[in-house]
Structure formats: C-alpha cells, structure tokens
Amino acid sequence: MNFKSAIILILFCLKTFSQTKIEDLNLMPWPQNITLNEGSFTLSSSFKVTISGIVNPRIFVGTTNFLRRLDGRTGMFFSQGYIKDINEDPSAQLQINSLKKGVVGINQDESYKIEITSNKITIDATTDIGVLHALETLLQLLQNNGDSFYFPNVIISDFPAFTWRGLMIDVARHFQPVDVIKRNIDAMAAVKLNVFHWHLVDDQGWRIELKNKKKLTELASDGNYYTQEEIKNIVEYADQRGILIVPEIDVPGHATAILTAYPEIGSKYLKEPNEQKQSQYKIERNSGIFRPTLDPSNPETYKFLSEVFDEVCPLFPAKYFHIGGDENEGKDWDANPVIQKFKQKNNLKTNHELQSYFTLKLVPMLKKHNKEIMGWEEIMNDKMPKGTIIHSWKGSNEGSPAGESLVNAAKEGFKTILSNGFYIDLMQSVNDHYLSPIIPKETVLSKEEKDRILGGEVTMWSELVTSKNIDSRIWPRTAAIAEVFWSNEKDINLKSMKKRLQFVSNRLEELGINHIKNKKMILRNISNYQDVSSLVDLSNICEPLKIYTRNKGGTEYQTYSPFTLFADACTSDASDAIDFNEVVDNYLQDKSPKNLNRVTEYFKKWIFMHSDLIKLSENAPLIKPILPLSQSLSELSTELLAVLELNKSADKSLFNKLLINCNSRNHADVELVIGDSFKKIIDNIN
C-alpha cells in the first residue's frame, strides 16, 4: 500500500469513527449497560454467522431472519442463506453462543451480551431467547456513511426491568386476520415485548373455532374467526420469536356473543315459561357496557365453560389463561329473582361476591389444564389462589387512582401487571404513555411486594380500528412503551426517545407494519384518487378525538361502519403540529426575520391547502366534512399573516373568534392540535 492510499484509508476510518457517538445510536428499548468504543466493524458480503452451545431450533429461524433483514437493508448478497445447525462455520465474523434451551414464558433469563470489535462480533446469552433480543439490538446498531454499512464497536450487557412486557389486541370488536397478528408479533419481538394477550371473545364476536360448540362460530362470529389450525400456527410463530400467547375469553360479562349462540345460560329473567330466550340476545354492534351476562346460578353455565376450556386450553401452551371478569354491572342479576334467591341461599351479599363465587368455579376447570387464572382487577377477592394474576386497568377515567389495584394486589399477595397508562386506543400522545411508570411514584412496597409486580401491558381495543388502520394505532407509540417495560427508569428520556422513535418507526416497515403507508391509502380513497398533498398537510396537524370522545355513547360507529374516513388516517402526535409548536416557541424567544419566516411559511401553506381542498372537494364528497376546519385555519392564518408581514393592526377579538373556530371538535371527529401555539402568537401581538 502506498503512502497516499494509507492516508485515504486512515481518513476513511476516522470519518467512520467520528460519525458514531452515543447519541447517534437509535436503540429502543435502551440497554441497561452500554460502552461505546473507538472503531467499527464494517460489513461485507462475506459476513457469516455461526451458533454454538445448547439451543432451541427457534434460534435458527431467528438468525436466518436476522440475515435476511440485514441484507435487505444493506443490499449485500450474503453467501450464507439458511442457518440450520450449530457450528456451521467456526470462522464466521458473528459468533453466537447460547448456554441452554430457552423456554417461552415469564421469569425466564432473557439477558444477553454483545461485544463488537473491528473484526468480530460476539453474542453471549444464557438462552436462545436472549440471543433473539441481542439480534434485534444488533440490527438497531447498524450505521452507515456514504460508502459503507458498519456496526460501531460497543459492549452491551442487557436484561429487562420487568418480566411481563405485553401487547393485547382485541379481535372481538373488529376481527383481525392472521397476517395482521403475525406482523404485529414480529414488531413486538423487534422491541423486546414478550407476551401477546389475545382478546378473542366479547359482546361483538366469538373468534375461536370449537369443534364441539359449532354454534358459537355459526351464530356469533359473522364468519370471522380463527380455525384451530390457524391458532396453532400463530402460537408456533410466536414461540419462534420468543413470545408467549395468553388467550382471553371474557366472562361473566361482555357475554352477548356467547349468549347469542347459547341463550339458555344467560341471566335475563323470563316471566312467561314459554318465552324464548333466543330472541333476547343478538350480537352487539355498538360499543360500551351491556347487560347480557352469564347466569352464575345455573349449573349448565359451568358445564358449558368447562367444555369450552377443555377444547381451548390445549391450543395454548401458556401457563396463564385470561378470563376477563371486567365491567359486569350485574343489572340482569339484580332483575332476576332466581339469581337473587341463589345469592340469599349462598349468603352472597353483593354482586361482587356473586362474581367471586363464579370466578372461583373456574379455577379447577383451568387447573385441570395446568393453567393459572388471570383477569381484570374486578376478579380480585381474598379467596382467589395467590397464583392468580390481577390485571390492573382502572385509572382517572374510571374514577380510580392510577395503579391503585396494582399496588393493592401486590400487597395482598397476588402477582399483577399494569395496563392503566398504556391504553393506546385513547389516542393520547406518546409522551403520556412514556411518562407513565408501572409502579406509581412514591409507592412504598417491600421487595417481596415489588417482585409480584410482573410488568405492564399495552391494550389495543378495537372499537374504532380495522386491519387497515390498526397498525397506526399500535405503532410507533408501543415501541416507546416497550422501553418503559424494559429499560432502567433512570434512562427514561423524553427528548432522546422522540429522536430514536422516528428511526424505529421507519424500520418497522420492513416487518410489514403498515402504519406509515396505509395513511396515504386512506387519503387516496377520501380524495377520490386525486392528489393527496393537501390532505396530507391537514392530517399532519390533526389528531383523532381522544379518550373515547370520537364515538359518543358508543353508538356513532357500529362494528360495520366505515373506518376509511379522515379521522382514520390521522394519528396521535401529528408531525407538523409538533414542528410548528417548536417553530413558534423559537420565534417568540427570538423574533428574527429567519424565525418569523419559518412561522409565516406555515400560514401560507395552510392558506393554499384550504384553497386546494375546496377544488378537490368538487369531485370528492368525503373531503367536505373537513372543509370547515381548513377554512377556519386558513382565515386565522390570513389574518395573522397580514399582521406579522404587512403590519396590519391587530383585532384581538377577531383573532380569538377565529381561534375558537379552529379549536372546534365538531368536524370529522378530529381536532386541530396547533391551537395553543396560535394562542401564544395572538397573546404576544401588541
């Protein structure tokens, strides 16, 4: 090598080294321990992987998938195709070692260590589950400059803060096809979530094929359900990715679908002996809490459930079975004299005691299949086995302190997990979820009590989602929540999270998550396949109405309503709104011409946007519901532009009137989320 070539090589290496700083790393969740060293490992097409140790075959699937995602990102034609055995190439640059076979479940060793040097990458883990986590971290470590792809030289030792890191998807209100479930399982694995809670039954549908209870799918599924073979396939698919599947059949409330097929075990009292119960129940099409409830006084109820569990439990190897138990108002119990006599006979004073009686009857049915009961916090009572997992969900929306039942369950000897704060269907900002701790601050617990708090679970209720927009409701916010579940609490950093989240969000696309691309698909439908640029601009400053205000009383939208509207294209954390808010703050701190121009450029864009939307609406009726919002925004932008650029005298009363119009939540089930910044500007005008 001549002197000139050596200098070029040194400069190239220095360029590579200088590009990687700790703040450049887009890891999510953030590892427990990370040390960034000088230098890097540069990828080439000769890159290979070898595995040693004692492993579960899932490691071969996971490592092969890692290679395919890596060559997909880099465009390199790796010579190594499918990894099928241990010690395939002892000279490989990536050396993986697993000490023992991993078992999918909670309280497993998921730790791993990655060490990257300039010529070698080593992954060490106790089990292959830890290896899978390490491979996801390694993919996130991938960097590039203009000439090459490389991994920075680092040492990472990592393990989860909580053992239960879950995502629940409700497939009862809106059925989600197999491919939706699988791609979300892949995304879960990418951010180290490890429990998929499958909410399979509710008032709006029964979604499990049962050979011995065919009426459930014939009468209560609208033809949308998973065959037993599909369920087995999904369970295996999740197992290969280190994810446990916990099924849920919600009883005794939320039972409309069950009772549509088997009305004889319902609680509704019939005065006339010949009156048919069949006519009393039909699948629910609205959202909310409904009266149909299983009859706890009827022996046939328990016979039915025992037979259901006998067929469902073998489909799911998980140790836990979620029996719901939430939101039973007991109205049909109160109105049924037979049930009231049953309560008196068994000295059951309240409906909670009656439900506890019911729940305890399920314990041996599930124990028969080596399952431990899990349920929403309403199932907690002092007679439940201490192996029960209490799923805490109530918070300020339900009139309870956040996490109250979590703390109470831990103190009373139960294992418990938290979902309050992680209800992503509320369409709140990622900030709200990211800053929600699993253990409430200032809570005093013993070590034993803390150990009973297993972790947290994201909940995706599906009243307002279909397969077309569910990904945009789950991701990318769930990636940030996954960090709350995994990382050290001291590493929770809002600014850093937002920067890293954008990278992770983009990378989720390679797993088939369509949270980005389906937005334009919905907008193209709304525009009648005209140019969608202006619709995109408006959607980037609008968000769907939050905390169930979009679906007032649960009746505005039925399960068969269209979910291809403007609100379905909008998401939380509207991107231009975030940028505009920052631009306004910068301008108010420094009223330089440059900062003023950045503000007024938004005004000009929104004025043009409204004009363009009017033209588009002439051949696109679905645009018309959003025109009042864009008009209000255009009018306020025009007035502010005249004051800030043309020195027109300000009319504060007009500004405030226009601002009220902009802040209206009466159009298209969305809200403009730039009102606070407008108010700051208006208040600052002399």
Side-chain angles (χ1 to χ4, degrees):
M1 180 184 293
N2 60 34
F3 178 76
K4 183 178 179 181
S5 298
I7 292 295
I8 291 172
L9 179 61
I10 291 169
L11 290 174
F12 171 76
C13 292
L14 287 173
K15 178 183 176 185
T16 300
F17 298 161
S18 66
Q19 283 181 332
T20 305
K21 300 174 183 176
I22 198 78
E23 57 268 25
D24 293 331
L25 301 180
N26 291 304
L27 305 176
M28 184 171 285
W30 192 257
Q32 300 288 346
N33 301 287
I34 179 168
T35 301
L36 185 61
N37 297 317
E38 263 198 359
S40 63
F41 176 99
T42 302
L43 270 173
S44 69
S45 58
S46 63
F47 180 76
K48 287 186 177 181
V49 183
T50 195
I51 300 166
S52 62
I54 302 170
V55 299
N56 183 292
R58 74 169 66 87
I59 200 170
F60 303 123
V61 175
T63 309
T64 300
N65 288 343
F66 161 81
L67 275 174
R68 298 292 73 79
R69 288 163 68 189
L70 189 60
D71 63 28
R73 289 188 192 183
T74 63
M76 293 181 181
F77 289 74
F78 297 139
S79 59
Q80 194 172 27
Y82 296 87
I83 302 170
K84 297 180 179 179
D85 206 349
I86 61 172
N87 301 318
E88 285 191 347
D89 188 344
S91 64
Q93 297 96 326
L94 174 53
Q95 301 273 333
I96 296 173
N97 183 54
S98 170
L99 296 180
K100 63 181 182 180
K101 293 182 179 180
V103 177
V104 172
I106 65 170
N107 296 317
Q108 303 298 312
D109 190 330
E110 302 177 71
S111 64
Y112 66 89
K113 182 179 179 181
I114 300 174
E115 184 169 2
I116 302 176
T117 64
S118 297
N119 56 14
K120 185 179 180 181
I121 303 173
T122 305
I123 291 175
D124 290 304
T126 305
T127 71
D128 47 81
I129 305 293
V131 171
L132 296 180
H133 294 326
L135 291 173
E136 294 294 346
T137 299
L138 190 56
L139 281 167
Q140 291 182 352
L141 281 168
L142 183 66
Q143 308 282 305
N144 69 275
N145 53 34
D147 304 295
S148 65
F149 292 90
Y150 60 93
F151 296 108
N153 288 355
V154 297
I155 299 175
I156 292 175
S157 61
D158 201 10
F159 55 88
F162 292 96
T163 189
W164 189 293
R165 306 179 307 281
L167 167 65
M168 185 218 75
I169 296 181
D170 165 19
V171 299
R173 273 106 179 172
H174 278 100
F175 180 74
Q176 303 299 328
V178 169
D179 67 305
V180 175
I181 301 302
K182 284 188 172 181
R183 71 185 183 227
N184 276 281
I185 286 172
D186 283 330
M188 289 175 65
V191 294
K192 302 179 177 64
L193 295 176
N194 68 337
V195 179
F196 173 51
H197 172 182
W198 207 351
H199 186 86
L200 289 157
V201 177
D202 217 297
D203 292 293
Q204 294 79 6
W206 176 279
R207 306 300 182 196
I208 317 165
E209 177 196 26
L210 293 189
K211 310 287 188 184
N212 296 321
K213 292 279 186 293
K214 292 185 177 181
K215 285 199 295 183
L216 286 166
T217 47
E218 290 172 354
L219 301 176
S221 73
D222 294 316
N224 294 315
Y225 60 91
Y226 304 99
T227 67
Q228 292 191 11
E229 287 306 308
E230 286 173 328
I231 289 173
K232 291 175 185 176
N233 178 264
I234 290 172
V235 168
E236 181 182 4
Y237 189 88
D239 184 88
Q240 289 176 340
R241 285 144 184 83
I243 291 173
L244 185 75
I245 295 185
V246 175
E248 179 183 353
I249 295 177
D250 200 351
V251 289
H254 288 286
T256 310
I258 294 173
L259 297 177
T260 298
Y262 292 90
E264 61 271 20
I265 59 173
S267 295
K268 190 172 182 65
Y269 180 64
L270 303 180
K271 295 180 181 178
E272 299 296 329
N274 295 327
E275 193 175 354
Q276 294 295 311
K277 277 197 174 184
Q278 184 67 57
S279 63
Q280 305 301 317
Y281 301 107
K282 59 181 179 179
I283 292 180
E284 188 55 62
R285 304 302 183 183
N286 292 319
S287 304
I289 304 172
F290 305 100
R291 291 183 65 148
T293 310
L294 301 185
D295 183 352
S297 70
N298 186 350
E300 290 300 312
T301 299
Y302 303 106
K303 181 175 183 294
F304 168 86
L305 289 173
S306 182
E307 291 170 351
V308 166
F309 292 146
D310 284 347
E311 193 166 354
V312 173
C313 285
L315 300 174
F316 298 95
K319 182 180 179 181
Y320 305 99
F321 199 107
H322 204 301
I323 53 93
D326 62 316
E327 297 182 324
N328 173 26
E329 295 182 329
K331 291 180 179 178
D332 277 358
W333 289 357
D334 294 336
N336 189 323
V338 176
I339 293 176
Q340 292 306 304
K341 287 180 181 177
F342 181 84
K343 283 175 68 176
Q344 292 172 6
K345 178 182 176 182
N346 290 277
N347 196 29
L348 302 170
K349 296 180 176 58
T350 66
N351 282 339
H352 177 68
E353 290 182 6
L354 179 57
Q355 180 159 331
S356 296
Y357 171 93
F358 168 88
T359 304
L360 287 165
K361 286 280 192 179
L362 307 188
V363 172
M365 297 181 198
L366 291 166
K367 207 68 175 175
K368 171 183 174 183
H369 299 281
N370 298 313
K371 307 292 186 188
E372 292 185 9
I373 279 187
M374 175 180 182
W376 304 103
E377 61 191 63
E378 288 94 328
I379 74 165
M380 187 163 57
N381 67 78
D382 57 7
K383 294 180 181 178
M384 289 295 292
K386 294 307 180 186
T388 303
I389 296 179
I390 303 301
H391 195 162
S392 174
W393 70 276
K394 291 184 179 180
S396 57
N397 292 331
E398 296 77 32
S400 299
E404 180 182 50
S405 59
L406 178 92
V407 173
N408 290 342
K411 287 184 174 181
E412 291 181 25
F414 295 105
K415 292 178 287 187
T416 182
I417 66 168
L418 180 70
S419 277
N420 182 264
F422 310 123
Y423 268 53
I424 51 176
D425 63 311
L426 298 179
M427 298 309 298
Q428 293 172 290
S429 168
V430 66
N431 297 10
D432 297 312
H433 302 302
Y434 189 70
L435 298 177
S436 293
I438 290 182
I439 301 176
K441 291 180 180 178
E442 301 179 1
T443 301
V444 178
L445 294 169
S446 68
K447 182 185 182 304
E448 187 179 14
E449 290 166 343
K450 279 186 178 180
D451 288 345
R452 295 188 191 116
I453 297 175
L454 303 178
E457 192 171 282
V458 178
T459 49
M460 181 67 254
W461 299 106
S462 69
E463 285 91 342
L464 299 175
V465 300
T466 67
S467 60
K468 293 182 175 63
N469 71 342
I470 188 170
D471 291 359
S472 73
R473 274 51 186 149
I474 299 175
W475 308 102
R477 289 176 299 157
T478 293
I481 299 171
E483 182 159 285
V484 177
F485 297 168
W486 177 282
S487 302
N488 192 314
E489 192 175 5
K490 69 177 178 59
D491 291 323
I492 298 299
N493 183 307
L494 202 58
K495 183 177 180 181
S496 169
M497 176 274 289
K498 288 184 176 180
K499 175 256 180 186
R500 291 178 286 123
L501 186 62
Q502 184 57 54
F503 171 88
V504 174
S505 178
N506 292 336
R507 286 305 183 191
L508 287 170
E509 283 199 303
E510 76 183 21
L511 299 170
I513 296 297
N514 59 33
H515 61 307
I516 298 174
K517 71 176 183 179
N518 272 16
K519 175 175 182 172
K520 283 195 174 180
M521 180 267 290
I522 295 172
L523 293 179
R524 283 193 293 272
N525 176 66
I526 292 170
S527 72
N528 199 15
Y529 290 86
Q530 302 175 87
D531 181 65
V532 297
S533 300
S534 293
L535 276 171
V536 170
D537 286 342
L538 185 58
S539 73
N540 286 340
I541 51 174
C542 286
E543 296 178 7
L545 297 182
K546 298 174 177 56
I547 314 181
Y548 305 134
T549 55
R550 176 179 176 186
N551 193 17
K552 297 173 183 176
T555 57
E556 182 179 351
Y557 292 87
Q558 285 75 42
T559 53
Y560 49 79
S561 296
F563 292 92
T564 51
L565 307 177
F566 186 66
D568 301 300
C570 296
T571 64
S572 60
D573 302 299
S575 58
D576 279 3
I578 293 170
D579 292 342
F580 178 67
N581 294 340
E582 183 178 347
V583 164
V584 169
D585 286 342
N586 290 339
Y587 166 70
L588 294 178
Q589 290 174 12
D590 174 15
K591 295 184 179 180
S592 65
K594 179 182 177 181
N595 284 342
L596 173 62
N597 183 63
R598 292 185 68 194
V599 173
T600 56
E601 282 300 311
Y602 274 105
F603 295 158
K604 292 171 185 176
K605 178 169 78 170
W606 294 332
I607 292 167
F608 170 80
M609 175 190 75
H610 176 59
S611 175
D612 190 47
L613 288 173
I614 290 174
K615 292 177 185 176
L616 292 174
S617 70
E618 293 172 2
N619 190 36
L622 290 176
I623 290 178
K624 285 186 166 60
I626 62 176
L627 289 180
L629 266 184
S630 66
Q631 179 179 340
S632 298
L633 178 59
S634 175
E635 290 174 351
L636 182 53
S637 297
T638 300
E639 292 298 324
L640 286 170
L641 200 58
V643 170
L644 295 175
E645 280 198 342
L646 304 177
N647 297 318
K648 178 184 174 182
S649 59
D651 183 344
K652 287 288 187 78
S653 63
L654 175 61
F655 283 153
N656 288 324
K657 178 182 177 182
L658 293 174
L659 182 58
I660 289 172
N661 293 339
C662 282
N663 287 337
S664 170
R665 297 178 179 178
N666 296 321
H667 305 291
D669 288 331
V670 299
E671 58 179 319
L672 284 167
V673 286
I674 50 178
D676 289 345
S677 290
F678 271 126
K679 189 173 188 311
K680 289 178 184 178
I681 296 173
I682 293 168
D683 290 345
N684 199 259
I685 292 175
N686 297 323

